[in-house]
Amino acid sequence: ELVHPEDHQVVVDCLARIVRQVHEVHEAAFRLRHRNGAYSWVRAEGQSWLDSRGELEIVANCRLEAEPGKATG
């Protein structure tokens, strides 16, 4: 598990919003475990849309935060 246990629900909720609310951009801040075992705060954005066949497409972007963040969305 790469996501900090206390932040797991934040990520699940954000992904659910991305799937349910097509075309809207959603953000979340959470801790992600580095390969050295330390956690770093990241901010992720995601958006979904329907392609020409009506299938859901999702794009996400994640970046490091300089200091602790809190979930938005």
Side-chain angles (χ1 to χ4, degrees):
E1 179 78 45
L2 295 177
V3 175
H4 190 283
E6 293 177 9
D7 301 333
H8 179 78
Q9 194 61 47
V10 170
V11 175
V12 170
D13 291 346
C14 186
L15 287 171
R17 287 192 308 272
I18 290 169
V19 170
R20 280 193 324 266
Q21 300 170 352
V22 178
H23 299 294
E24 295 184 31
V25 176
H26 300 278
E27 294 184 27
F30 53 92
R31 290 163 286 185
L32 199 59
R33 190 177 65 210
H34 190 274
R35 70 178 132 207
N36 68 11
Y39 285 95
S40 298
W41 280 98
V42 297
R43 179 162 301 276
E45 295 178 345
Q47 183 178 20
S48 64
W49 65 91
L50 298 176
D51 69 12
S52 61
R53 296 172 301 195
E55 295 182 15
L56 188 67
E57 301 275 340
I58 297 174
V59 65
N61 177 33
C62 189
R63 62 189 175 280
L64 285 173
E65 288 288 289
E67 52 188 70
K70 60 180 180 180
T72 61

